[in-house]
Amino acid sequence: MNSARPVGPQYVTLVTEGGYRMHATITLDWEHGAALYRVAELGGTITVGWQPGHYYLDCCSGTAIEITYGKPTPSPFTEHFEDAPTVYGVQLAQQAVFHPESMSPASHRWLVVRREIGGHYSPSAPEGTQRRTAAIVYAITRHMLSRPWAAELRRAHDEQHAPARHRHHQDAVRKLEGEVAQLQEQLTRERERAAAQSVVIEKAETGEGRVTALPQPVAEAEPIAA
């Protein structure tokens, strides 16, 4: 086992910016690269990891954090997670994605918080639940990112997704190679056509190959009257 990858649960006490105190048991999932914070006061788990799809985006700089309200599963289609936490009597559902630099202890708008009602639809949680959840996620995320094992946890995340990303890049390379071959053919053809027109221009400037006008035909003699 890598010495930078601690095993066994860790016990911490976290306090939000508003003074809410939480007692959490942290379990590190090295297979998926995520930290599970089991918060006693919430009766459930908030999982902090990295959003895998963000890797493929060229629009945004930085790193996207993925919050799971409960224990995550390998399936990307899961919406309701085991051991989901309860905030102000509201059980949370689904996941949320955000950039750490967008977090603010003074606002909750940077975090999506949905409530569990069963079925496929999960509406937004009440305002009070959203505010308290944002404060909790803010404290947990800052704690996770400050840990000495955070970089190694990110490495585990990248290792898990490396095979799929490698296949993605191989497919992209094959596609681009085909496009490059087509473009090279077009480029060669256009260069040949440009060269041919250069010859025409050069001959026109030097007079070479210029066509001389034919002389006017001699008018036929009129027949002499008898």
Side-chain angles (χ1 to χ4, degrees):
M1 173 63 68
N2 191 324
S3 60
R5 297 187 174 186
V7 296
Q10 304 174 41
Y11 306 96
V12 296
T13 298
L14 302 176
V15 182
T16 68
E17 294 289 322
Y20 179 70
R21 184 176 296 272
M22 302 173 290
H23 299 84
T25 301
I26 307 173
T27 303
L28 302 179
D29 184 343
W30 294 109
E31 181 180 357
H32 298 97
L36 285 69
Y37 284 70
R38 216 291 173 170
V39 182
E41 288 77 7
L42 307 182
T45 299
I46 292 180
T47 302
V48 189
W50 288 270
Q51 208 282 329
H54 185 267
Y55 172 86
Y56 301 101
L57 302 180
D58 296 326
C59 66
C60 315
S61 59
T63 299
I65 294 294
E66 181 176 81
I67 293 292
T68 300
Y69 299 116
K71 296 180 178 180
T73 67
S75 172
F77 305 106
T78 303
E79 296 182 353
H80 310 283
F81 299 93
E82 178 187 352
D83 200 36
T86 299
V87 179
Y88 283 158
V90 176
Q91 187 178 43
L92 307 185
Q94 298 191 1
Q95 296 173 308
V97 177
F98 59 89
H99 288 80
E101 58 270 21
S102 71
M103 295 192 306
S104 171
S107 172
H108 65 279
R109 301 300 181 187
W110 52 272
L111 182 69
V112 174
V113 184
R114 299 189 179 278
R115 67 182 303 173
E116 178 64 74
I117 62 171
H120 295 290
Y121 176 65
S122 299
S124 296
E127 186 83 5
T129 299
Q130 291 186 44
R131 291 184 182 278
R132 172 57 62 85
T133 302
I136 293 170
V137 170
Y138 178 86
I140 288 177
T141 302
R142 290 189 63 187
H143 180 268
M144 189 276 285
L145 293 177
S146 69
R147 296 302 88 193
W149 39 256
E152 191 63 25
L153 198 65
R154 174 59 188 269
R155 185 190 304 276
H157 166 86
D158 290 336
E159 288 173 353
Q160 186 219 5
H161 294 284
R165 291 171 178 174
H166 184 252
R167 290 191 296 271
H168 167 82
H169 291 307
Q170 286 182 314
D171 291 341
V173 167
R174 283 191 289 268
K175 179 181 178 182
L176 290 171
E177 286 176 341
E179 294 176 357
V180 167
Q182 292 179 355
L183 289 173
Q184 187 61 54
E185 291 179 2
Q186 295 178 24
L187 179 61
T188 300
R189 183 166 58 250
E190 294 302 326
R191 281 176 173 169
E192 291 172 348
R193 290 174 175 176
Q197 296 306 310
S198 294
V199 172
V200 173
I201 294 171
E202 183 179 354
K203 288 183 177 181
E205 291 176 346
T206 61
E208 180 184 353
R210 184 172 298 169
V211 177
T212 303
L214 294 175
Q216 292 292 331
V218 179
E220 294 182 2
E222 295 182 2
I224 299 176

